[in-house]
């Protein structure tokens, strides 16, 4: 925003507010846990969650935070200086958090401090202050009200909230900056309809006519998986941010309106499934735990902990009595979901088991994985009944149809089998096949690949009849590059300015050495200063604008952090390759040395053999004389 426009906006709002009667009330946001929660998810919950209680501390939910840790309370309402959650994050007290890392951004520290000062409110809401009383300096009674949840259950957000606004219903399909892999795909169980992942959207299309229809916005983050309910009424979408959050939201297929939202994971949800009766939702991901939630209440029914690696696929049996899950280590478990107990453990895969599917009779499970073999299991006894090479390389997905099993692999190959060892047809894509699904009538297969192509082919012959891709826009890519450039410039300016400012860490020893009384007086004085500064309407408007700009700055910081993480990952890969090359060169050198030594030994042995033969000839001649 140009400076003159911003200044005009501040002046206009200031004049408007100052011309109001003195009896008007001014709303000031009280920070609630809904603003603190995303910060804790991003910075702390990886180590402090129900599955990994470091220090016996769970920071996932407000009730757990209030319960404290093994050392006692971690937050004291109204007193940040006595709240270990704040003092450790602000590096005012040891042990500093996060460990072996710089302080979290000052804006995030301020949100946590204000939340504690405000009394640990659950929701962000207005604190009403009488302006006339503020002008005279007389005491006022502050009233704090929690924001009213909207009809879809979402809480009202203040300026600076990191959550995107959700626009419900069917919307236009958003263009991608560039083609992206279809990592989530499913076909409707009864209609000529399918869905794939888009740019924070679930996108609908008709397989028979190859026509893109509309989309549903997914503000929670990147789409990691999606599925239609077995009755076809709902489209369920798993979305979130890696190592931060994951949830499953259900939408009406006809209208795109949200019906329910279940699960509150601290990492991405890689896979999920809904039982046939719609009452149980199973989710899995990097946590190595299969969680079963009650729908639509969201109550956690069971946390199933047998897997030793990331969970890649969960599927309820058609009758709903069993649940199968597979992981990245090759383990497959079959559970009784109502009781939350293990029914069978199936261990035969070498490498990740990416795909599982049930027969309609719920008695046979089909699995495929990194070793390239399709396996069928008899669930009465938990025994392997058949195993054969699917001829697609590493299997990433399988689909079960009437009289055939289809497999799609990392090599880009797709194969259909009528029975073990009986190949019906094969097809080879131009890139890795990520997802595979069959249409309601069973006549078509849809394959989503890693370059963003959805190939539609006949299920009996695997003849490709069409190929679809989401629209891309060069302007979208240009806008992204411009935002990255601006983020880099701001990040550089921030680094330069931070070198000139005193760091709060330098004040740590003095603050920690203060007496308990002094530490309690500090936040009171800070509150008084902030309230005095907020008594000016112009200052309040300026504060709102600053918060808005800070929010945009934080978003840019996150983008820069993601780019830096990718660069670091690339550097690690390059470094690993360089080390591998060095090791290979060393092995080749050792091999050459060994070959030279062997050649020398052979030469010596050849000379010795020649000498022995000469000696034998001499002895024979002597014996003849």
């Amino acid at each position: 925003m140009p400076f003159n426009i911003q200044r005009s906006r501040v002046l206009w709002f200031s004049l408007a507010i100052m011309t109001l009667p003195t009896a008007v009330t001014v709303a000031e946001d009280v920070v609630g846990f809904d603003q603190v929660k995303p910060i804790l998810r991003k910075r702390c919950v990886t180590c402090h969650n129900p599955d990994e209680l470091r220090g016996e501390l769970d920071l996932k939910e407000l009730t757990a935070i209030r319960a404290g840790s093994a050392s006692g309370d971690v937050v004291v309402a109204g007193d940040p200086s006595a709240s270990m959650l704040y003092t450790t994050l602000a590096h005012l007290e040891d042990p500093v958090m996060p460990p072996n890392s710089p302080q979290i951004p000052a804006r995030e520290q301020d949100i946590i401090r204000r939340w504690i000062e405000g009394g640990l409110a659950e929701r962000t809401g207005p604190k009403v202050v009488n302006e006339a009383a503020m002008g005279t300096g007389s005491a006022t009674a502050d009233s704090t009200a929690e924001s009213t949840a909207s009809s879809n259950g979402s809480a009202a957000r203040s300026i600076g909230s990191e959550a995107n606004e959700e626009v419900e219903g069917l919307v236009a399909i958003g263009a991608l900056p560039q083609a992206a892999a279809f990592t989530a795909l499913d076909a409707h169980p009864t209609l000529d309809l399918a869905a794939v992942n888009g740019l924070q959207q679930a996108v609908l299309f008709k397989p028979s006519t190859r026509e893109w229809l509309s989309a549903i916005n997914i503000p929670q983050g990147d789409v990691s998986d999606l599925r239609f309910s077995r009755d076809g009424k709902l489209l369920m979408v798993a979305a979130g941010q890696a190592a931060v959050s994951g949830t499953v939201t259900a939408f009406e297929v006809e209208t795109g309106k949200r019906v329910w939202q279940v699960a509150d994971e601290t990492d991405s949800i890689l896979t999920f499934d809904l039982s046939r009766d719609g009452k149980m939702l199973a989710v899995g991901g990097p946590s190595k735990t299969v969680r079963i939630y009650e729908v639509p209440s969201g109550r956690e029914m069971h946390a199933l902990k047998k897997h030793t690696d990331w969970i890649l696929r969960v599927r309820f049996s058609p009758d709903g009595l069993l649940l199968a899950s597979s992981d990245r280590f090759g383990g497959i478990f079959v559970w009784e979901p109502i009781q939350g107990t293990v029914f069978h453990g199936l261990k035969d895969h070498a490498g990740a088991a990416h795909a599982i599917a049930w027969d309609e009779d719920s008695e046979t499970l089909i699995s495929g994985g990194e070793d390239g073999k399709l396996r069928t299991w008899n669930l009465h006894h938990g025994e392997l009944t058949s195993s054969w090479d699917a001829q697609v390389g590493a299997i990433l997905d399988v689909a079960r149809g009437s009289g055939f099993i289809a497999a799609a692999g990392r090599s880009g190959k797709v194969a259909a089998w009528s029975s073990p060892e009986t190949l019906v047809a094969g097809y080879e894509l131009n890139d890795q096949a990520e997802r595979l699904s069959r249409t309601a009538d069973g006549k078509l297969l849809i394959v989503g690949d890693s370059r963003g192509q959805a190939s539609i082919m006949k299920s009996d012959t695997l003849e490709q009849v069409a190929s679809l891709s989401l629209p891309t826009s060069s302007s979208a890519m240009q806008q992204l590059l411009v935002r990255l450039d601006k983020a880099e410039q701001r990040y550089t300016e921030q680094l330069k300015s931070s070198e000139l400012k005193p760091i709060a860490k330098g004040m740590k020893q003095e603050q920690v050495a203060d007496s308990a009384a002094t530490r309690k007086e500090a936040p009171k004085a800070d509150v008084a200063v902030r309230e005095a500064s907020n008594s000016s309407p112009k200052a309040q408007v300026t504060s709102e604008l600053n918060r808005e700009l800070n929010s945009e700055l934080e978003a840019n910081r996150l983008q820069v952090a993601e780019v830096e993480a990718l660069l670091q990952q690339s550097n690690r890969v390059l470094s690993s390759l360089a080390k591998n090359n060095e090791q290979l060169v060393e092995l080749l050198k050792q091999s050459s040395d060994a070959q030279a030594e062997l050649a020398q030994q052979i030469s010596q042995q050849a000379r010795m053999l020649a000498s022995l033969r000469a000696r034998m000839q001499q002895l024979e001649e002597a014996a003849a004389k």
Side-chain angles (χ1 to χ4, degrees):
M1 180 181 297
F3 176 73
N4 59 343
I5 296 177
Q6 181 177 347
R7 183 173 58 184
S8 299
R9 180 180 174 188
V10 172
L11 181 59
W12 186 89
F13 275 112
S14 300
L15 291 174
I17 293 176
M18 287 191 295
T19 56
L20 293 175
T22 57
V24 75
T25 57
V26 179
E28 177 186 304
D29 280 344
V30 172
V31 175
F33 186 65
D34 54 340
Q35 289 194 55
V36 174
K37 187 175 182 178
I39 299 173
L40 298 181
R41 286 293 179 92
K42 182 167 55 177
R43 309 293 182 184
C44 310
V45 174
T46 302
C47 299
H48 300 284
N49 60 72
D51 298 321
E52 188 174 354
L53 287 171
R54 292 193 184 182
E56 297 185 26
L57 175 61
D58 180 8
L59 297 177
K60 182 180 177 182
E61 299 295 345
L62 180 56
T63 53
I65 295 173
R66 285 173 171 163
S69 68
S71 303
D73 293 338
V74 294
V75 288
V76 177
D79 193 352
S81 64
S83 301
M84 186 179 295
L85 176 64
Y86 172 71
T87 57
T88 55
L89 286 175
H91 289 200
L92 303 176
E93 186 175 352
D94 290 325
V96 297
M97 293 292 168
N100 304 318
S101 299
Q103 295 184 50
I104 68 174
R107 173 179 172 273
E108 296 181 357
Q109 294 182 36
D110 185 61
I111 289 175
I112 294 173
R113 178 178 58 80
R114 290 167 55 202
W115 171 62
I116 296 173
E117 287 177 349
L120 310 179
E122 184 175 354
R123 296 285 183 188
T124 297
K127 179 173 69 176
V128 180
V129 181
N130 185 277
E131 187 177 283
M134 289 168 55
T136 60
S138 60
T140 59
D142 297 341
S143 61
T144 303
E146 294 185 0
S147 59
T148 304
S150 59
S151 59
N152 59 16
S154 62
R157 302 280 179 172
S158 63
I159 296 175
S161 174
E162 297 181 0
N164 295 328
E165 289 188 12
E166 181 174 357
V167 180
E168 286 201 353
L170 300 175
V171 298
I173 299 172
L176 303 175
Q178 62 181 14
F182 284 141
T183 55
L185 182 152
D186 195 28
H188 195 278
T190 58
L191 302 176
D192 180 21
L193 185 67
V196 295
N197 60 293
L199 183 60
Q200 289 196 330
Q201 288 185 328
V203 184
L204 301 170
F205 69 97
K206 293 185 69 172
S208 63
T209 60
R210 282 75 76 182
E211 176 187 3
W212 293 111
L213 299 175
S214 56
I216 300 173
N217 283 340
I218 310 297
Q220 289 80 14
D222 296 327
V223 176
S224 54
D225 196 12
L226 55 79
R227 287 184 63 76
F228 288 99
S229 60
R230 285 172 169 80
D231 61 9
K233 295 180 180 180
L234 301 176
L235 173 62
M236 301 164 292
V237 183
Q241 300 178 46
V244 176
S245 64
T247 189
V248 178
T249 309
F251 303 88
E252 289 182 352
V253 172
E254 292 185 358
T255 65
K257 294 297 182 70
R258 190 171 78 166
V259 179
W260 49 257
Q261 184 172 300
V262 170
D264 187 15
E265 299 292 296
T266 57
D267 207 335
S268 300
I269 294 176
L270 301 180
T271 179
F272 72 91
D273 196 21
L274 184 71
S275 60
R276 179 176 288 277
D277 60 9
K279 295 181 179 180
M280 293 183 291
L281 179 78
V283 304
S287 67
K288 309 174 190 176
T289 302
V290 177
R291 296 191 193 279
I292 301 178
Y293 293 93
E294 183 181 69
V295 178
S297 69
R299 179 181 67 87
E300 183 179 309
M301 298 172 60
H302 302 292
L304 311 177
K305 301 181 179 182
K306 282 289 185 180
H307 289 280
T308 58
D309 211 325
W310 291 16
I311 297 164
L312 303 178
R313 199 64 56 92
V314 294
R315 290 292 182 266
F316 279 101
S317 61
D319 59 15
L321 298 179
L322 297 175
L323 171 70
S325 56
S326 63
D327 65 35
R328 201 169 59 171
F329 191 69
I332 299 176
F333 290 93
V334 181
W335 314 84
E336 293 179 296
I338 297 177
Q339 292 79 18
T341 55
V342 176
F343 186 67
H344 285 305
L346 312 176
K347 300 179 180 179
D348 194 62
H349 279 278
H354 295 284
I356 51 179
W358 290 88
D359 263 348
E360 285 300 322
D361 58 10
S362 298
E363 296 182 356
T364 302
L365 185 70
I366 303 158
S367 62
E370 201 69 31
D371 55 14
K373 290 186 177 181
L374 282 170
R375 291 170 170 81
T376 59
W377 307 84
N378 182 300
L379 269 303
H380 282 293
H381 307 290
E383 296 177 345
L384 180 68
T385 55
S386 61
S387 174
W388 72 99
D389 185 356
Q391 300 183 20
V392 297
I395 301 171
L396 299 185
D397 208 353
V398 296
R400 186 75 171 102
S402 178
F404 74 90
I405 301 171
R410 197 184 302 279
S411 65
K413 295 179 180 178
V414 182
W417 301 80
S418 60
S419 62
E421 309 295 344
T422 305
L423 180 66
V424 176
Y427 186 85
E428 187 168 358
L429 303 169
N430 294 323
D431 220 316
Q432 175 174 299
E434 298 279 353
R435 291 288 181 162
L436 175 65
S437 185
R438 68 173 181 86
T439 56
D441 57 10
K443 295 180 180 180
L444 297 175
L445 286 174
I446 310 171
V447 186
D449 66 27
S450 58
R451 63 171 183 163
Q453 296 284 329
S455 298
I456 301 172
M457 55 188 66
K458 297 179 180 179
S459 57
D460 53 352
T461 63
L462 296 188
E463 174 188 353
Q464 185 174 3
V465 296
S467 180
L468 297 174
S469 60
L470 286 173
T472 58
S473 170
S474 58
S475 62
M477 173 60 77
Q478 189 63 32
Q479 291 172 7
L480 178 60
L481 293 175
V482 170
R483 290 181 63 187
L484 288 175
D485 288 340
K486 290 182 179 179
E488 182 180 3
Q489 292 175 4
R490 293 177 179 176
Y491 180 70
T492 304
E493 292 172 359
Q494 180 191 4
L495 288 178
K496 290 180 180 178
S497 63
S498 64
E499 294 174 356
L500 303 176
K501 294 179 180 179
I503 303 175
K505 186 176 181 180
M507 303 167 60
K508 184 178 86 171
Q509 299 298 331
E510 179 182 353
Q511 292 178 347
V512 173
D514 287 344
S515 64
T518 304
R519 292 176 66 185
K520 290 183 179 181
E521 288 298 324
K524 295 178 181 177
D526 186 58
V527 171
V529 171
R530 191 172 67 256
E531 288 183 350
S533 64
N534 286 341
S535 63
S536 168
K538 182 176 180 179
Q540 290 180 0
V541 174
T542 305
S543 176
E544 288 186 358
L545 290 174
N546 286 336
R547 280 191 287 171
E548 187 176 353
L549 292 173
N550 286 336
S551 177
E552 181 182 355
L553 177 61
E554 182 62 21
N556 290 329
R557 287 176 185 166
L558 293 176
Q559 290 181 344
V560 172
E562 291 175 0
V563 173
E564 288 181 338
L566 290 174
L567 289 175
Q568 290 175 3
Q569 184 178 2
S570 300
N571 289 334
R572 287 195 295 269
V573 172
L574 291 174
S575 176
S576 177
L577 290 174
K579 290 181 180 179
N580 290 338
N581 287 336
E582 291 176 1
Q583 294 175 356
L584 181 59
V585 170
E586 183 64 25
L587 289 173
L588 290 174
K589 182 179 178 182
Q590 293 176 2
S591 177
S592 298
D593 293 343
Q595 289 178 356
E597 184 178 353
L598 180 61
Q600 185 177 2
Q601 292 177 357
I602 292 174
S603 177
Q604 291 176 354
Q605 291 174 357
R607 287 195 297 271
M608 292 176 61
L609 181 60
S611 176
L612 288 173
R613 286 177 176 172
R615 182 60 178 166
M616 289 286 294
Q617 186 176 0
Q618 291 176 359
L619 291 174
E620 288 175 355
E621 291 175 353
K625 293 179 178 180

